[in-house]
């Protein structure tokens, strides 16, 4: 039964769709032309357009990719029309880049601005709320930089590119802070059994506490605390 099915199966339609075998040569030619067009386009955009993609530049790259991809294998999409799209996108990119250089307000409107997420070892709560960034994801990025607790950080800034810039305290200035190691927030408490330094699990505010009720955080009003860490960075 299987052999009969395989014999009756339309392999040409599976492999080529509605096109003929001769279209493969045309696809090869189209791909070569569009590949060269992409290289030329990226050269015109310059190194910044390739290395440091802002939101606007990402849209440009996606647009160029779509304009280049369709004519490679869609017979009904002409190469000339795609090249026109390329030229228009590059001209728009050049115009917007010029306007960005002339107007700081326009740059901020289009690309956003850097924002401080951690200051003096604690979360800048209002700024952090504005960003679409989960705490687990953020902690993972900090750990990749060799950070184990927030008391090691003077400032952490999210750049317009999405990268996190971190400015550290000197070793002799490192203070107690919220641990960001995996599972460090699991055993949060509302009652202090052993005096010491504790950090708010929500904002990272850290203070020395005596035994008894932990109380509410004076910064964010939350009531869950974990033992703080004063571990220094290992570089």
């Amino acid at each position: 039964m299987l052999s009969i099915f395989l014999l009756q199966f339309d392999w040409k339609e599976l492999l080529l769709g509605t096109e003929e075998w001769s279209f493969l040569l045309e696809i090869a030619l189209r791909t070569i032309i569009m590949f060269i067009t992409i290289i030329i386009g990226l050269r015109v955009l310059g190194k910044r357009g390739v290395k440091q993609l802002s939101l606007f530049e990402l849209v440009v790259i996606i647009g160029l990719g779509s304009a280049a991809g369709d004519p490679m294998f869609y017979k009904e999409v002409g190469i000339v029309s795609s090249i026109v799209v390329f030229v228009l996108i590059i001209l728009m990119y050049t115009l917007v880049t010029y306007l960005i250089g002339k107007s700081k307000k326009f740059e901020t409107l289009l690309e956003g601005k850097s924002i401080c997420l951690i200051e003096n070892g604690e979360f800048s709560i209002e700024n952090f709320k504005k960003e679409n960034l989960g705490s687990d994801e953020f902690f993972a990025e900090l750990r990749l930089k060799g950070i184990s607790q927030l008391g090691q950080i003077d400032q952490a800034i999210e750049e317009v590119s999405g990268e996190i810039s971190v400015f550290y305290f000197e070793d002799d200035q490192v203070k107690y802070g919220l641990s960001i190691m995996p599972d460090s927030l699991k055993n949060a408490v509302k009652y202090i059994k052993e005096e010491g330094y504790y950090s708010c699990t929500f904002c990272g505010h850290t203070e020395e506490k005596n035994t008894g009720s932990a109380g509410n955080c004076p910064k964010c009003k939350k009531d869950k605390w974990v033992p703080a860490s004063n571990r220094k960075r290992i570089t």
Side-chain angles (χ1 to χ4, degrees):
M1 290 292 294
L2 180 60
S3 59
I4 296 175
F5 173 77
L6 292 175
L7 288 173
Q8 293 178 342
F9 196 79
D10 192 342
W11 290 100
K12 178 178 177 295
E13 183 176 348
L14 173 66
L15 298 174
L16 291 177
T18 58
E19 306 298 340
E20 299 297 327
W21 289 100
S22 59
F23 186 56
L24 292 179
L25 182 60
E26 186 177 336
I27 287 178
L29 181 60
R30 285 167 171 260
T31 302
I32 292 171
I33 293 173
M34 295 314 300
F35 179 80
I36 294 172
T37 304
I38 293 171
I39 296 298
I40 294 172
L42 292 179
R43 287 291 294 168
V44 171
L45 291 178
K47 292 181 180 178
R48 185 174 186 272
V50 180
K51 279 191 171 182
Q52 302 171 354
L53 295 182
S54 65
L55 178 62
F56 161 64
E57 289 161 340
L58 181 61
V59 171
V60 171
I61 296 300
I62 292 174
L64 292 178
S66 179
D70 290 349
M72 288 182 183
F73 52 88
Y74 287 128
K75 195 170 185 178
E76 62 272 17
V77 179
I79 290 177
V80 173
S81 58
S82 293
I83 291 177
V84 170
V85 173
F86 255 71
V87 171
L88 288 174
I89 290 177
I90 291 172
L91 288 176
M92 291 173 64
Y93 174 84
T94 304
L95 174 61
V96 171
T97 303
Y98 172 79
L99 294 175
I100 286 175
K102 290 293 184 180
S103 171
K104 189 66 179 177
K105 288 184 178 180
F106 185 78
E107 179 182 8
T108 301
L109 177 65
L110 192 64
E111 297 189 340
K113 60 181 180 179
S114 301
I115 186 168
C116 183
L117 299 180
I118 293 178
E119 189 167 14
N120 198 28
E122 299 179 2
F123 283 112
S124 298
I125 302 174
E126 293 305 316
N127 288 344
F128 199 87
K129 286 179 179 178
K130 296 175 184 176
E131 300 302 301
N132 186 21
L133 187 66
S135 59
D136 289 342
E137 177 188 357
F138 184 55
F139 287 169
E141 289 199 42
L142 295 181
R143 289 195 296 269
L144 288 173
K145 296 179 182 294
I147 299 166
S148 62
Q149 57 102 351
L150 299 188
Q152 300 167 352
I153 302 173
D154 181 11
Q155 284 189 325
I157 299 170
E158 186 180 30
E159 308 293 354
V160 293
S161 64
E163 295 289 328
I164 305 295
S165 298
V166 180
F167 300 89
Y168 306 100
F169 285 119
E170 297 290 341
D171 281 350
D172 59 351
Q173 295 178 314
V174 169
K175 56 185 184 178
Y176 281 90
L178 178 67
S179 173
I180 61 172
M181 301 304 287
D183 299 330
S184 62
L185 305 182
K186 277 190 173 181
N187 298 317
V189 299
K190 296 183 180 181
Y191 185 88
I192 306 299
K193 295 181 179 180
E194 184 177 344
E195 64 180 21
Y197 284 89
Y198 287 79
S199 297
C200 171
T201 59
F202 185 77
C203 70
H205 174 74
T206 301
E207 58 185 46
E208 190 173 10
K209 289 187 175 294
N210 298 317
T211 56
S213 174
N216 293 79
C217 173
K219 184 176 179 180
C220 69
K221 310 306 178 185
K222 303 294 183 181
D223 62 352
K224 293 184 178 180
W225 302 80
V226 290
S229 168
N230 67 340
R231 184 177 178 182
K232 294 178 173 59
R233 289 180 64 240
I234 300 175
T235 55

